[in-house]
Every structure is written in structure tokens, then in C-alpha cells.
Amino acid sequence: MRRTHRLTTALIALGASGVLAACGSTSSSTSTSTTASPVTTNVTVAYVPIPLFDPLYIAMAKGYFAKEHINVHLTVVSSGQSATALAATNRVQVVLGGFSAGMFDAIKQGLNFKVVGSMAAEAAGTAANGLVVANGVIPRGKTLTASDLRGAKIAIDGGSGAAGGYLLAEALKPYHLTLADVNVVNLGFPEMQSALANHSVAAAYPSAPFLSTILAAKDGTLVSPAPVNAAVVGVIYGGSFAKTPAAQHFFDALAKGAQDLQGSAQTSSANLAIIAKATGESISILKSEPPSIYAPNLAPPTSTLSAMQQVYLANGLVDYHHPLSSSAYIDASFANKVQAG
């Protein structure tokens, strides 16, 4: 995960009517000249315009999709998780969004889509996301204990079934607590600081830049950063699109964007300018935010997805009782075919 809004708009209901008006189906056009031109395929991508999905912006701006004869149409959605139904019915071909209990339920119910890649993952060092407790929750001179958190109100953007529910469950493990032992409150990231300050919640799981703002104002204390390398957002293909030749071409271009974001290249002036334009963030804010990790081939986060499913099962957040095989919700074939940059 990463940075601004990390999961800021995740897990709220999707207004499908506005999305569908912007969506285009997969189609192609060919030249009428005597020499056949490569077929160009239109691909509609549902996404939330935040810096979790930088490879998309880089690949578009640098012409990587055009080189693969892909014409990308972007359609903004309020929640990537909710857009999976659109991918399953080919109203969009690709979704860039977060993973959730609802996603696993949809797979179980037979919706035709799969996770094919990862996006931003948490880097080591300065936390971009983490569990923060309000001042006064930890007694002065003491360390946080299970009794301090048991029954406490803890704010998560999107609630327990969101990706934040999984992250909170991981943060509670050292205290031998589960989601059932706390009172989860569905609260947006922008509202978390005031909720911590006025003690309407005892803790929250904010994302950058909200996390750093809370800590700078001393409205809370970070007690557990997000797990390093955990990617709770990724790339989802509709089943129909996945069967087309364009699916690999799209993925190759997207991975090329990720390869341009490795190491210090992530904060190059050229890349920051592209990301700032795509997301509306200022370059100064982007420079100050914690970095992300992008797998060079955008391999699906198999271990993270498995762990998320287990958390949702253990807490009764999905409508089934035995874990789905990873093959039911992951297709790594596209990442496996990516050429090294």
C-alpha cells in the first residue's frame, strides 16, 4: 500500500449509472489500407485516481499502452471493490482497486473475474498506514495492552470487510485479540483525526497523508505500522477480457510502468510530474510521502490474499465457511509472461 488516501475511497457503494455512461466495451479498429495495420483494442479501466496505481499513470503518459496497441479509457469509480461486478459482465475490462470480503463472496457466487496483479505494497521504513491510538488510551508510562483495546471503538475506512479490516486484524494479533473483540466503526480517513482528538474513537487505522498529519498534531500514537510488502490493492480482469490477446498486451504495458518506478526512479522529477497530474496531488506532497513497492512484473499478492481470506472467514465476514482455492480468485499467468525491464 502506499501514501495518499491509501484506501481513502474504498468500500463505499458504487453509483453504477455514472460509471456505465463512461464505460466502453472492448472493441477494435483496423486500417483500410492494403497493408494491414495492427489491431488497436479499446480497454475500459475502472479505478480511483489516487497514487496507489502509479504504474497506470506512468504507462499511459509514456505511451506504453499505445505501443501495445491498447487504447485505454479511464472511468472513475468511488470504490474499486464494488466495480468487480462491472468487470465480471464486461462493462469494464479492468479494475484497479482494493481487495475485500465482498470480492471473495462475489467469486464464491460465480462472478467471472480474477485478480491478475498487484499494485502498491507497504515499504519498510516510515509507515504509510498503521494503527493509531488516541491520547489517554495508553496510561502514562505504560505500554499498550489487550485490556486497553478490548471493546474499544476503532475506526476503519470501509468497515471490517474492507482491506482495513484485514490490516486491523493483523495489528491486533500481538495482543491476542480479533476483530470480534473490538468495536469497529466505519469512518472515512479525513474524519479520523477529529474522532481521535475528541475521543469518539479510541483508535483508528489511517493512511498517509492522514497518518502523518495525526502524528504531527499529536492527536494519537502509532502502535502498529502496516505489514511490509502487504499489497491489499491490485489488478482485476473480467473473465471475458482475460481470454483476449489484448489482456497480455495491457498487462505488459502496465508492468513496464511498474518497472519505471523501481528504487529512486519512483521519485524522479518526470515520474512525479506524471503522478501529480494524474492524481491532483502536489509534487511537494508526493515527495514527502512514504514510498511504495511495486513488483516489477506486478505478480499477484498470493500470500496476502490468502491471509485476507482467512481473516474474513474467521470473523464471519464472508458467506461461506471453507477457504476458496487461490486458483479460484488468482490468475498469475499474465505476470509470469512479463519480460524483465
Side-chain angles (χ1 to χ4, degrees):
M1 284 189 324
R2 139 175 178 157
R3 332 198 214 134
T4 321
H5 315 308
R6 203 64 42 186
L7 302 167
T8 306
T9 54
L11 282 260
I12 54 180
L14 170 65
S17 59
V19 174
L20 296 180
C23 294
S25 60
T26 326
S27 61
S28 60
S29 58
T30 56
S31 170
T32 56
S33 65
T34 54
T35 303
S37 298
V39 173
T40 296
T41 303
N42 295 323
V43 177
T44 299
V45 179
Y47 82 119
V48 180
I50 54 178
L52 290 172
F53 310 123
D54 291 350
L56 173 69
Y57 317 136
I58 298 298
M60 290 188 71
K62 294 186 178 181
Y64 297 153
F65 288 115
K67 290 177 182 177
E68 294 287 344
H69 307 292
I70 299 293
N71 184 24
V72 173
H73 297 273
L74 297 180
T75 183
V76 175
V77 295
S78 56
S79 165
Q81 292 88 337
S82 300
T84 53
L86 300 177
T89 53
N90 204 36
R91 287 175 284 177
V92 304
Q93 287 69 59
V94 180
V95 175
L96 300 186
F99 310 129
S100 67
M103 183 193 79
F104 287 102
D105 268 338
I107 292 291
K108 177 65 174 177
Q109 292 163 10
L111 268 67
N112 190 18
F113 66 86
K114 283 188 179 179
V115 176
V116 298
S118 59
M119 280 277 114
E122 188 84 4
T126 304
N129 309 265
L131 179 62
V132 174
V133 298
N135 294 329
V137 171
I138 306 174
R140 186 179 297 274
K142 303 291 185 179
T143 59
L144 187 69
T145 66
S147 61
D148 297 321
L149 293 175
R150 190 180 301 277
K153 289 184 178 180
I154 302 181
I156 301 175
D157 188 274
S160 296
Y166 159 71
L167 294 172
L168 175 58
E170 291 296 296
L172 293 173
K173 277 183 179 179
Y175 304 97
H176 304 289
L177 299 174
T178 69
L179 294 178
D181 296 315
V182 300
N183 184 3
V184 173
V185 177
N186 185 356
L187 192 65
F189 290 126
E191 289 75 45
M192 289 182 181
Q193 183 172 3
S194 61
L196 288 166
N198 64 30
H199 288 187
S200 59
V201 298
Y205 209 108
S207 164
F210 306 103
L211 173 59
S212 57
T213 300
I214 290 168
L215 298 180
K218 299 187 179 185
D219 287 323
T221 301
L222 178 68
V223 295
S224 179
V228 174
N229 293 324
V232 296
V233 293
V235 187
I236 293 170
Y237 274 4
S240 296
F241 177 65
K243 296 177 181 178
T244 68
Q248 186 65 53
H249 291 294
F250 179 94
F251 201 93
D252 289 344
L254 194 63
K256 186 69 169 65
Q259 290 163 11
D260 283 4
L261 293 167
Q262 301 301 305
S264 61
Q266 187 172 142
T267 54
S268 71
S269 297
N271 285 341
L272 286 177
I274 290 169
I275 297 164
K277 182 177 180 180
T279 63
E281 290 283 5
S282 70
I283 290 179
S284 61
I285 289 178
L286 291 173
K287 283 182 177 179
S288 68
E289 292 172 353
S292 293
I293 298 173
Y294 293 99
N297 68 342
L298 296 179
T302 303
S303 60
T304 298
L305 283 164
S306 176
M308 292 179 80
Q309 181 181 207
Q310 290 294 342
V311 165
Y312 298 142
L313 279 166
N315 289 276
L317 297 170
V318 289
D319 293 330
Y320 56 94
H321 304 289
H322 302 287
L324 303 175
S325 166
S326 62
S327 62
Y329 54 86
I330 293 175
D331 181 352
S333 64
F334 302 100
N336 291 341
K337 294 175 185 174
V338 168
Q339 299 297 313

